[in-house]
Amino acid sequence: MGEIKPKILVASDIHLGSLDSEKDLFIQFLRSIISGEFGNELQALIILGDFIDLCMDVPEHIVKRKKIQEIFILLLDIKKSINLIFVLGNHEIPVTGDYDEKFKHRELKFLSKFKNSDFSELFNIELYCQYLLLKKCNDEDMLLLYNSRDQIESNPIKKIKIDGLDLNSDYRCFLTHGYQFDSDIYRFFVGQIWKSLISSKKYEVKETYDYFWNEVIKEGRKIKPVTLKQMKNELITLKYVPRESIEALFSELSYLEFNLVKANMRVMKKWQRASNPDYYFDEIKEFLEDDEYDFSKINHVIYGHTHHSGISYGKINNQEVEILNSGSWQHMHPTYVEIISKGNLNLKSISNNSNS
């Protein structure tokens, strides 16, 4: 018997516009979808947040980058034959305060940044949401889209029928980016940094954050010793650009701004250390056991955000819950999730397309 092919694919944290985004491998992944490598029963591709990185780049640059344009073109092709769904992440919209209440406004603001681009079709509000729930509804397997927790179960903004899943009546798979699982204190402090970066129009500041996050923190280096001169020298090599271009880019970056970035990155480093699966299980448990909402029937969770791919199990709401982190396409071998018959979940690696 051949390998069971997926009905739904889930990928997250591609971070287009950021250093070390595995764009070539993501292009390979999208081409595999188009070529039929995933079979002819594939019905949906879900990008589970942080597809675009507005903390590290600006929209007008993002849409002009050749490899990103290639990705957009491939997605437009995919959209012709299967459902394409985007969940927004913390590098795309601010997540401070009541993120449910503010989601609609933030979503519209995000989409408006790309409405005049050549790829505006990918930024249609019909493709976007904050949460998804995969379940059986009236004897049909449905993927339900929501913008707030209040809507979940009873009031989806969109319904997508998925044929051939054959879900059990008690099956519930909850999908979201994952910033919702951050503790309030982390979202307050780190969320302010993300928010300021998303709203910033200073490309040199975004580039500085990009460098420190992806080339210093993620590489396990110390923040304090890094100088502005050292950063410029490294970026010349990383970006394959002449010194004159780097000097021009950072000509308006003051030492005060540079040192403020370093101070903020120390906060980010603490968040990065805390973003491990054990920590997130406790946060997911707290989220799903919130008395304000009825998530008691959810028995599967897929999220991204932390970049730590993996599968875990734990007791939440007095039942066993399977939790998958879909990983990222940055700093490590990219991973994605397949949802196959019966709603079974497979975590896969793009490097060899084998079970992780």
Side-chain angles (χ1 to χ4, degrees):
M1 183 180 293
E3 183 182 8
I4 299 174
K5 296 295 185 179
K7 315 292 184 183
I8 301 170
L9 292 173
V10 183
S12 72
D13 295 271
I14 295 91
H15 288 278
L16 297 180
S18 179
L19 287 168
D20 294 337
S21 173
E22 294 283 4
K23 293 183 287 293
D24 289 331
L25 288 177
F26 194 64
I27 288 169
Q28 175 188 320
F29 174 67
L30 296 180
R31 285 177 176 165
S32 296
I33 294 173
I34 293 169
S35 69
E37 185 176 318
F38 291 99
N40 57 10
E41 295 184 10
L42 182 65
Q43 296 162 62
L45 170 62
I46 301 169
I47 308 292
L48 204 59
D50 285 354
F51 173 55
I52 289 173
D53 200 326
L54 293 184
C55 290
M56 310 300 182
D57 206 345
V58 292
E60 54 268 32
H61 290 179
I62 288 171
V63 297
K64 292 178 181 177
R65 301 193 189 284
K66 289 186 178 180
K67 285 189 179 179
I68 294 178
Q69 288 183 339
E70 184 175 355
I71 287 169
F72 287 169
I73 290 168
L74 290 169
L75 285 171
L76 286 170
D77 196 7
I78 288 169
K79 183 175 172 289
K80 294 174 184 176
S81 56
I82 66 172
N83 293 285
L84 180 61
I85 303 158
F86 294 96
V87 173
L88 290 173
N90 55 290
H91 282 233
E92 293 160 323
I93 59 171
V95 297
T96 50
D98 188 334
Y99 48 80
D100 275 6
E101 181 181 317
K102 297 178 180 180
F103 177 78
K104 193 68 179 175
H105 170 73
R106 289 167 170 174
E107 175 191 45
L108 290 170
K109 191 170 183 179
F110 167 81
L111 296 175
S112 70
K113 296 174 182 178
F114 298 93
K115 67 179 181 180
N116 295 322
S117 76
D118 293 337
F119 306 99
S120 57
E121 189 179 341
L122 290 176
F123 299 93
N124 184 323
I125 197 168
E126 295 294 320
L127 305 180
Y128 288 79
C129 66
Q130 182 171 199
Y131 307 107
L132 299 105
L133 189 64
L134 180 64
K135 59 177 282 192
K136 187 170 285 294
C137 299
N138 300 321
D139 294 325
E140 292 183 328
D141 300 326
M142 303 292 291
L143 193 56
L144 308 175
L145 281 62
Y146 306 93
N147 283 339
S148 72
R149 284 168 288 179
D150 289 328
Q151 298 170 333
I152 290 176
E153 290 281 3
S154 60
N155 191 25
I157 59 171
K158 187 175 181 179
K159 298 179 180 180
I160 298 172
K161 182 182 176 184
I162 305 295
D163 293 320
L165 266 178
D166 194 23
L167 299 176
N168 292 327
S169 59
D170 62 350
Y171 182 95
R172 299 285 192 285
C173 183
F174 178 73
L175 302 92
T176 194
H177 176 60
Y179 66 76
Q180 297 87 347
F181 304 142
D182 284 328
S183 68
D184 290 341
I185 191 166
Y186 271 119
R187 273 196 307 105
F188 178 80
F189 287 106
V190 181
Q192 293 293 342
I193 298 173
W194 291 326
K195 181 180 179 180
S196 67
L197 282 169
I198 290 170
S199 62
S200 176
K201 299 186 184 303
K202 299 194 72 172
Y203 183 56
E204 65 273 19
V205 172
K206 290 176 181 275
E207 281 282 288
T208 305
Y209 274 95
D210 196 1
Y211 164 78
F212 271 100
W213 178 248
N214 290 298
E215 301 302 324
V216 178
I217 291 178
K218 288 294 184 179
E219 296 298 324
R221 295 163 56 189
K222 294 184 182 299
I223 295 169
K224 189 175 181 179
V226 178
T227 64
L228 179 56
K229 181 179 179 180
Q230 181 182 349
M231 179 185 75
K232 290 178 183 178
N233 288 337
E234 290 185 27
L235 285 173
I236 290 168
T237 303
L238 287 167
K239 289 180 168 288
Y240 304 103
V241 294
R243 178 173 296 279
E244 294 76 15
S245 297
I246 292 295
E247 292 294 345
L249 172 60
F250 292 102
S251 61
E252 296 185 12
L253 182 71
S254 68
Y255 281 100
L256 179 62
E257 287 175 314
F258 180 75
N259 287 323
L260 179 60
V261 170
K262 290 175 71 172
N264 284 339
M265 294 317 289
R266 292 189 187 100
V267 177
M268 291 296 296
K269 191 171 186 177
K270 291 180 180 179
W271 175 85
Q272 194 257 349
R273 286 173 176 168
S275 60
N276 60 71
D278 290 340
Y279 164 81
Y280 268 83
F281 174 77
D282 292 337
E283 298 301 317
I284 292 168
K285 179 178 171 67
E286 182 177 337
F287 182 92
L288 294 180
E289 291 183 346
D290 190 329
D291 291 338
E292 296 293 321
Y293 309 96
D294 183 11
F295 295 142
S296 61
K297 296 179 181 178
I298 290 171
N299 41 35
H300 303 270
V301 174
I302 303 175
Y303 74 108
H305 186 45
T306 71
H307 296 200
H308 294 287
S309 65
I311 305 173
S312 60
Y313 301 86
K315 186 150 286 192
I316 301 175
N317 288 315
N318 297 314
Q319 66 174 331
E320 190 80 359
V321 176
E322 180 183 31
I323 301 171
L324 272 76
N325 186 289
S326 50
S328 80
W329 296 69
Q330 197 179 34
H331 310 122
M332 56 194 70
H333 284 304
T335 51
Y336 61 94
V337 176
E338 292 183 345
I339 304 180
I340 62 172
S341 178
K342 300 290 186 182
N344 290 322
L345 308 178
N346 293 331
L347 182 62
K348 298 278 207 168
S349 169
I350 192 66
S351 57
N352 56 18
N353 208 33
S354 62
N355 282 324
S356 296

